[in-house]
Amino acid sequence: MERIETDLCIIGAGSGGLSLAAGAVQMGARVVLIEGGEMGGDCLNYGCVPSKALIAAGKQAHAMRTGRTLGVIPVHPEIDYAAAKDHVRQAIETIAPHDSQERFEGLGVRVIRDWAKFLSDREVEAGETRIAARRFVIATGSRPFVPPIDGLDQVPFLTNETLFDLRERPEHLLILGGGPIGMEMAQAHIRLGCKVTVVEAMKALGNEDPEMSESVLNWLRQEGVEILENTAVERVSRHEDTITLETASGPVRGSHLLIAAGRLPNAEKLDLDRAGVRFDRRGIEVDSGLRSSNRRIYAIGDVAAGHMRFTHVAGYHAGVIARSILFGLPARAGQSHIPYAIYTDPELAQVGLTEAQARKVHGPALEVVRFAYDGNDRAIAEGKTEGLIKVMVYRGRPVGVSITGAQAGELIAPWALMIANRLKMKAMANTVLPYPTLAEIGKRAAGAYFSPRLFDSSMVKKVVGFVQRHIP
Ligand SMILES: Cc1cc2nc3c(=O)[nH]c(=O)nc-3n(C[C@H](O)[C@H](O)[C@H](O)COP(=O)(O)OP(=O)(O)OC[C@H]3O[C@@H](n4cnc5c(N)ncnc54)[C@H](O)[C@@H]3O)c2cc1C
Ligand SMILES: NC(=O)c1ccc[n+]([C@@H]2O[C@H](COP(=O)([O-])OP(=O)(O)OC[C@H]3O[C@@H](n4cnc5c(N)ncnc54)[C@H](O)[C@@H]3O)[C@@H](O)[C@H]2O)c1
């Protein structure tokens, strides 16, 4: 048994753990990084990267089937599903060196490839190594939640951990769960020539502003995705090549089943009770500085309870605790400035409060300004006029922005900057943007905020009248 003493021991080499390890070692800390599975975690191997690569393949197929309004005669593309998966693999392999053991060892990190568990609040064991550290960081991520449905254990099903290895094209993909994973994969698969049915127990994209999610769901339905909402699955069975989901409104049949019903934190196997770290089904309990119930042990990313589960959040958490661990400075992780996007087509992006949340917090003083894509020249030129931005403004500052439409994930960026830096709406209105760009949609929303103040104001009219009459 090898024994190591170090400044910082990080468990999990995914989005959070890798960011922290790279930063900490380059700032002079001795760092041990423990990874039991694949370097790069969920995002690289089973999440963001493969899903976005498959979405790109679907987009390409969709472009070939559409375009008549632009004068391009649509064709029926021949889909090679296995080759699309080759593209997925290629994308992962291209990015993998950046997250690799070799790269981190090159930076000076001691990387241990095994599963870690706590022996006490000062010591962790991983395979044949015991690590004592001044601080521990748990960055073990999450895994798919598989609901306890009668018969499911007898039926082969896919999750995000196996879907991207599937090489035969599903004839009819059933998706249990209409969250971001379910809807992104539904659209990618319908575009790659599968039939797709989503069965959602409550409301699909139910965490989003309903006006925004409805627009995305309508689009998906138009493309042929069947979305059954408020539909509970009572039993699952398989007969030969057919999987059947029994629901109150009748059976739903398909050839493959993807479970996308939410996530569970990877916490149980860490023997956290030995370290005095409290956790529950939502994850490891953390304070505003991401410290667990044991102040020497932090939790970041998907495993931290109550925080949004995104790659950029895990990276942000790494930055927050680096300040506290490396410099002993106070640091807290906020949520109100965190943007995200759902990469359906059209995309859905959000930062800060939705309209309903903002109305609850700010009451009648809240102003909501809107601008539709069909008023943007670039959107018209490209035939992408489906979409909307809504900006929730309180006392001259945006407190939330929702966008659906082409490139919503890109268009949310300046609003994330505005909210993170508490900029006022005039910062957006004062910005000059190139014409014709979709980015002007944001500026037009800021214009919609100022227009009534400028154009409906008797004071403004008086001042202008005075200047015109009296100033030579
Ligand atoms: C299909 C899908 C699509 C997604 N798309 C996006 C997207 O487009 N944009 C976005 O921002 N987010 C997306 N996400 C979410 C994103 O992947 C996660 O939020 C992110 O990976 C969380 O990072 P993390 O560091 O907390 O965990 P992970 O990246 O999952 O890393 C955790 C690591 O810890 C390791 N580990 C676990 N237990 C132990 C142990 N006991 N010992 C040693 N190692 C251990 C695991 O093997 C894993 O490698 C997606 C997720 C999925 C599933
Ligand atoms: N673009 C992105 O950034 C992106 C993409 C994919 C995933 N993610 C991350 O991964 C996380 C997980 O995504 P997800 O879609 O699995 O989770 P989710 O929790 O957002 O959605 C799961 C859905 O499944 C439904 N559900 C649960 N049990 C069910 C059942 N028995 N039958 C039918 N429906 C059921 C829920 O009502 C919910 O709508 C997200 O929260 C997000 O943070 C991000």
Side-chain angles (χ1 to χ4, degrees), residues 2 16 19 33-34 50 59 144-145 157 165 180 191 199 216 235 242 271-272 345 356 360 367 386 414 433 453 457 461:
E2 185 188 1
S19 303
L33 176 64
I34 309 173
K59 219 173 214 174
F145 161 62
F157 60 82
D165 288 332
R191 290 177 164 191
V199 182
V216 172
R235 221 192 110 66
T242 303
D271 286 348
L272 290 174
D345 177 13
K360 216 180 233 172
E367 291 176 68
E386 191 78 20
L433 295 173
R453 288 167 168 77
S457 156
K461 289 193 168 79

Side-chain angles (χ1 to χ4, degrees), residues 261-303:
R263 313 285 300 168
L264 286 176
N266 291 326
E268 301 84 351
K269 293 186 182 160
L270 289 162
D271 286 348
L272 290 174
D273 46 336
R274 293 194 192 166
V277 172
R278 281 196 297 271
F279 72 97
D280 60 23
R281 194 183 177 281
R282 296 171 316 123
I284 294 176
E285 204 179 284
V286 286
D287 66 11
S288 59
L290 298 165
R291 283 184 168 186
S292 73
S293 47
N294 178 335
R295 290 182 57 76
R296 293 158 44 83
I297 302 175
Y298 295 72
I300 62 172
D302 279 17
V303 79

Side-chain angles (χ1 to χ4, degrees), residues 454 456-465:
L454 281 175
D456 303 341
S457 156
S458 55
M459 176 57 87
V460 170
K461 289 193 168 79
K462 271 187 199 153
V463 171
V464 171

Side-chain angles (χ1 to χ4, degrees), residues 40-345:
D42 251 16
C43 182
L44 175 63
N45 300 291
Y46 319 109
C48 332
V49 173
S51 61
K52 268 76 251 180
L54 200 65
I55 285 170
K59 219 173 214 174
Q60 183 64 36
H62 182 69
M64 293 175 75
R65 287 193 199 99
T66 52
R68 188 177 292 279
T69 52
L70 299 176
V72 179
I73 307 306
V75 291
H76 284 292
E78 195 181 317
I79 309 286
D80 184 341
Y81 187 78
K85 290 297 175 67
D86 289 341
H87 164 67
V88 167
R89 186 58 35 210
Q90 188 64 46
I92 294 173
E93 281 169 10
T94 306
I95 299 171
H98 188 263
D99 292 358
S100 66
Q101 180 169 349
E102 295 70 30
R103 171 164 175 260
F104 278 78
E105 285 174 345
L107 290 172
V109 175
R110 170 70 195 272
V111 180
I112 298 170
R113 300 297 295 275
D114 221 314
W115 299 101
K117 58 181 192 233
F118 282 89
L119 298 174
S120 68
D121 68 341
R122 311 230 155 202
E123 231 184 353
V124 153
E125 185 177 86
E128 291 303 302
T129 314
R130 281 192 180 179
I131 305 103
R134 183 178 160 269
R135 295 284 181 267
F136 289 96
V137 175
I138 304 169
T140 48
S142 63
R143 63 184 186 282
F145 161 62
V146 179
I149 300 175
D150 192 21
L152 190 53
D153 53 350
Q154 309 293 319
V155 167
F157 60 82
L158 301 156
T159 67
N160 68 291
E161 290 173 359
T162 49
L163 174 69
F164 302 108
D165 288 332
L166 178 74
R167 296 191 61 87
E168 62 177 11
R169 182 174 65 185
E171 178 68 31
H172 185 165
L173 181 63
L174 305 174
I175 302 180
L176 196 78
I181 297 181
M183 300 327 290
E184 286 185 357
M185 288 303 96
Q187 192 173 39
H189 280 82
I190 198 110
R191 290 177 164 191
L192 291 172
C194 311
K195 275 187 78 180
V196 179
T197 304
V198 178
V199 182
E200 162 59 51
M202 304 207 287
K203 174 91 196 70
L205 298 179
N207 292 331
E208 311 308 325
D209 177 311
E211 196 179 0
M212 300 286 157
S213 56
E214 214 37 57
S215 147
V216 172
L217 297 180
N218 283 342
W219 200 269
L220 264 72
R221 285 190 172 108
Q222 274 173 39
E223 287 190 21
V225 177
E226 189 182 12
I227 305 168
L228 307 173
E229 296 183 292
N230 302 310
T231 303
V233 175
E234 287 150 8
R235 221 192 110 66
V236 183
S237 59
R238 181 168 78 137
H239 180 67
E240 292 175 352
D241 287 342
T242 303
I243 294 175
T244 304
L245 309 181
E246 301 288 351
T247 75
S249 39
V252 183
R253 296 196 172 86
S255 61
H256 292 70
L257 173 62
L258 170 66
I259 304 287
R263 313 285 300 168
L264 286 176
N266 291 326
E268 301 84 351
K269 293 186 182 160
L270 289 162
D271 286 348
L272 290 174
D273 46 336
R274 293 194 192 166
V277 172
R278 281 196 297 271
F279 72 97
D280 60 23
R281 194 183 177 281
R282 296 171 316 123
I284 294 176
E285 204 179 284
V286 286
D287 66 11
S288 59
L290 298 165
R291 283 184 168 186
S292 73
S293 47
N294 178 335
R295 290 182 57 76
R296 293 158 44 83
I297 302 175
Y298 295 72
I300 62 172
D302 279 17
V303 79
H307 286 264
M308 295 153 110
R309 288 178 167 151
F310 296 104
T311 285
H312 48 284
V313 171
Y316 163 63
H317 284 175
V320 169
I321 65 163
R323 190 180 147 90
S324 153
I325 293 173
L326 302 176
F327 300 105
L329 295 170
R332 57 181 297 276
Q335 304 231 45
S336 60
H337 62 302
I338 306 280
Y340 62 87
I342 298 174
Y343 299 95
T344 44
D345 177 13

